[in-house]
Amino acid sequence: MRTTLRTIASFMGVLLVPAAHAAVMYDAGALNFESTNQSMWGSGSAYVNTNSVFVGTQWSNKTATIGGIAGDPNTVIIPGTNDYTIRWFEPRINLGFTSIGCGCTRSKTIPGIPPVTADTRTGAEINLHTSGKVGLEFGYTIDSGSINTTANFNASAIVPDQIQAAQYFSLNTASVLGSGTIQSQSPKVEAYMSAIMQLSGSIDAQACLVPFGCSAKGTAALPTIDLNQRILSVDPNSIKVLDGAGPGGAPIAETTLFNQSLTLEGGLSATLVPGFKLTTLNGAATIVNTMPPVPSVTADMAELTVQLPDIATSGSGSNAPITSSGRDDVLSAQVDLDGMATMFAGLPPTGLNFDLIDTPVFKVGASLDLIDVDAGPVLGLAQDFEFSPTLMTTINFSNPVEIAGMIGPQTSWTGKWSDLPAIAISQTTTANPVFWIDAFLTNNMGLDLGLEGTMDLLKLGATASVGGIDVLGLNPLSLNNLLGLDNTLFSTDKLLFDIFSDTFGLGGFDPIQGSPILLALATDPGQGGNLVPEPGTLWLALAVLIGWGATQRRGRAGSTPGMIGA
């Protein structure tokens, strides 16, 4: 029996050894970094200035009342009386054998009569509650070339549950770029004047009549007006009047500034005299004209377009680097092949321009092309961006720790999160990581040159201008537009000439405090390691003891008396 007990004790010792504890997965929490208005040309902020001034009137929750209600819900129509006290003297009378009366003053209070009230309100009242803003807003935006970026990281680590003092262990840190974005805006300057009209509010009404009192107050919301109409917009390429008010969001009138298009036409006047004419976009202004007075009929020969590029790019992804690209034309020279062929080969023209009125102030014209084939070189400005973020950290330790590769105890470590070296602790320690972004931006800018050709069928347009400002602009419509067909005949690969390329550090990201990490020694009570067996182990030990006890009882029941002392 002693042998059996020793066996059971040994088995229980094995069972009571602490079970291996699983490591704890660490999650740093949301690590969403954002940087705005950084320069696309070098480290630092871009010059971005946006301002506006409002001239007009504005008010909030003002009330105007129409009509009125007279009377009061508790008007006294019969006055009441106060409580009244009566006092008298009661004499004391001695009758020899007895006496009556008290020989004192007595009193009695007679309750007053309460007043009679009634609701005497009568009339009707309408209350108008409004908030609004009416006037003009003047504003401008100056952008020297800006970059906006976001980087959303997931950071993890594996924290051992059994940590021995002075023994190096690894947290197996890792990071993943969940998502990132990049947006850019090339240098631009713009100003505007807008008409503002905003109105909102409610109306409530109530009517009263004697002796019925007042009805419940009814309330209704007023229609909301929110008008913000650009009256005048100015940017380096054009001046727009009532931008967005025309068909398809086009301005009512527009005149170009730096964005200029020159059209060379050749043709005949009504007197059959040949000539040439050089005009700006859609014939809005005439620069050179050897044609006799209008009306005249001309055919396009060539068109030269010059404009300031306005490039806005955007890109997103989950793998670094995150890229975005964009381009815009700077110079385009297109030769009207069908117009040149018909003019110099003596063929009937396939496209004609009709100049109905051509004076320094008023110009009216129209155009019709059965087939319009244009081809020529196009010079553009292209920009490519690469955004490369890396998750970094500075970890502060609540107690000094040993860090592999560093001499002596350390209270902090800074570096790439995924490169955290092995550490050793001598007491339970809390690690507090602060995350930040080490980011680089690559800006490649260049000029590209290529050849492009287009073809439009049944092309129709009409223009009218006053003083150089377009008051009617029917952009040339074609069968291609109506059918949704691409008008590109060909487009060659573009030759790229680099004019700017640089990689630099991108800032503007705020650091983020991560969740703390508890590094607990195995021998610390209540921390990572303890000597309390898991519940499953206890149940297993209990089952063994019960089974052993049952076996012993059966053995005793089946033994003979002579065997007891064996």
Side-chain angles (χ1 to χ4, degrees):
M1 180 176 177
R2 287 193 296 270
T3 302
T4 304
L5 290 175
R6 283 196 297 268
T7 303
I8 294 300
S10 300
F11 182 71
M12 288 296 296
V14 173
L15 291 178
L16 291 176
V17 172
H21 291 257
V24 178
M25 179 65 71
Y26 167 76
D27 182 2
L31 301 177
N32 302 325
F33 299 91
E34 181 178 6
S35 176
T36 59
N37 292 339
Q38 296 297 299
S39 174
M40 65 169 56
W41 311 112
S43 297
S45 299
Y47 179 77
V48 179
N49 191 348
T50 299
N51 203 355
S52 63
V53 176
F54 176 74
V55 179
T57 182
Q58 52 185 328
W59 65 97
S60 177
N61 200 26
K62 296 294 184 180
T63 300
T65 301
I66 302 174
I69 297 175
D72 188 89
N74 296 299
T75 302
V76 177
I77 59 175
I78 301 177
T81 61
N82 298 325
D83 293 347
Y84 182 72
T85 301
I86 303 174
R87 293 181 175 84
W88 69 92
F89 179 77
E90 183 178 302
R92 180 180 179 85
I93 303 174
N94 191 352
L95 300 179
F97 59 92
T98 186
S99 62
I100 61 174
C102 65
C104 60
T105 301
R106 292 187 179 276
S107 64
K108 182 178 182 180
T109 300
I110 301 175
I113 301 174
V116 178
T117 63
D119 189 344
T120 60
R121 290 177 296 176
T122 185
E125 182 178 86
I126 299 176
N127 294 312
L128 186 64
H129 313 281
T130 62
S131 297
K133 181 178 181 181
V134 178
L136 298 176
E137 184 177 75
F138 302 86
Y140 66 86
T141 297
I142 302 174
D143 192 329
S144 63
S146 59
I147 290 285
N148 296 335
T149 54
T150 64
N152 304 318
F153 277 94
N154 298 316
S156 64
I158 301 176
V159 184
D161 190 65
Q162 296 286 327
I163 300 176
Q164 303 299 324
Q167 291 187 3
Y168 282 94
F169 62 92
S170 175
L171 290 178
N172 297 306
T173 53
S175 65
V176 175
L177 178 62
S179 64
T181 64
I182 178 173
Q183 294 179 326
S184 73
Q185 174 58 58
S186 62
K188 72 182 298 185
V189 178
E190 60 181 1
Y192 66 90
M193 178 177 67
S194 296
I196 307 293
M197 180 179 292
Q198 299 172 349
L199 181 64
S200 62
S202 62
I203 184 173
D204 59 62
Q206 188 176 43
C208 303
L209 181 64
V210 177
F212 302 103
C214 298
S215 61
K217 183 176 292 187
T219 302
L222 293 173
T224 299
I225 299 174
D226 190 359
L227 172 66
N228 188 339
Q229 174 61 56
R230 291 286 175 93
I231 299 176
L232 190 67
S233 301
V234 182
D235 59 45
N237 282 324
S238 65
I239 299 177
K240 303 180 182 67
V241 179
L242 295 178
D243 192 11
I252 296 296
E254 180 178 6
T255 185
T256 57
L257 293 176
F258 294 102
N259 185 2
Q260 292 289 342
S261 181
L262 305 178
T263 302
L264 179 64
E265 304 171 61
L268 299 173
S269 69
T271 57
L272 302 181
V273 177
F276 295 91
K277 183 167 66 171
L278 182 65
T279 64
T280 60
L281 180 65
N282 295 328
T286 301
I287 300 174
V288 178
N289 188 4
T290 63
M291 299 283 295
V294 293
S296 61
V297 179
T298 62
D300 290 341
M301 298 177 63
E303 182 174 314
L304 178 69
T305 302
V306 181
Q307 68 180 33
L308 288 178
D310 182 7
I311 304 174
T313 74
S314 64
S316 62
S318 58
N319 294 316
I322 301 166
T323 62
S324 66
S325 301
R327 73 170 303 280
D328 200 4
D329 289 343
V330 176
L331 178 66
S332 173
Q334 298 288 298
V335 176
D336 195 309
L337 299 181
D338 60 289
M340 296 286 284
T342 56
M343 180 166 293
F344 293 105
L347 301 175
T350 59
L352 297 174
N353 303 317
F354 304 95
D355 295 323
L356 305 177
I357 302 175
D358 190 357
T359 67
V361 180
F362 300 101
K363 297 181 182 296
V364 178
S367 63
L368 174 63
D369 271 299
L370 298 179
I371 181 172
D372 182 27
V373 180
D374 300 321
V378 176
L379 180 67
L381 182 67
Q383 278 191 302
D384 298 313
F385 296 97
E386 291 185 356
F387 168 48
S388 303
T390 301
L391 183 63
M392 309 292 290
T393 185
T394 295
I395 303 178
N396 298 305
F397 299 97
S398 61
N399 297 302
V401 301
E402 298 288 340
I403 300 178
M406 302 180 72
I407 300 175
Q410 306 292 323
T411 58
S412 66
W413 180 85
T414 297
K416 186 177 178 181
W417 170 255
S418 58
D419 290 345
L420 176 65
I423 62 177
I425 61 176
S426 59
Q427 56 186 314
T428 294
T429 300
T430 300
N432 295 291
V434 177
F435 294 94
W436 45 283
I437 288 290
D438 188 13
F440 289 91
L441 179 73
T442 299
N443 179 2
N444 293 316
M445 183 172 65
L447 292 173
D448 59 29
L449 178 64
L451 293 176
E452 292 184 358
T454 61
M455 181 179 69
D456 290 284
L457 302 175
L458 298 178
K459 189 176 178 181
L460 174 65
T463 60
S465 64
V466 178
I469 298 178
D470 295 337
V471 295
L472 172 64
L474 176 60
N475 291 328
L477 298 176
S478 67
L479 186 61
N480 301 59
N481 300 130
L482 298 177
L483 297 179
L485 301 177
D486 188 9
N487 67 347
T488 301
L489 271 180
F490 64 88
S491 180
T492 66
D493 293 336
K494 293 180 173 59
L495 299 175
L496 182 64
F497 306 92
D498 291 333
I499 59 176
F500 178 85
S501 181
D502 193 15
T503 298
F504 50 88
L506 188 67
F509 300 97
D510 293 330
I512 297 176
Q513 178 69 57
S515 303
I517 307 173
L518 180 63
L519 307 175
L521 288 180
T523 55
D524 280 2
Q527 300 298 338
N530 56 65
L531 299 180
V532 178
E534 295 182 356
T537 305
L538 291 175
W539 282 112
L540 180 59
L542 183 60
V544 170
L545 289 175
I546 294 173
W548 176 78
T551 302
Q552 293 300 312
R553 286 194 299 270
R554 287 196 299 271
R556 287 194 299 269
S559 62
T560 63
M563 297 295 292
I564 295 176

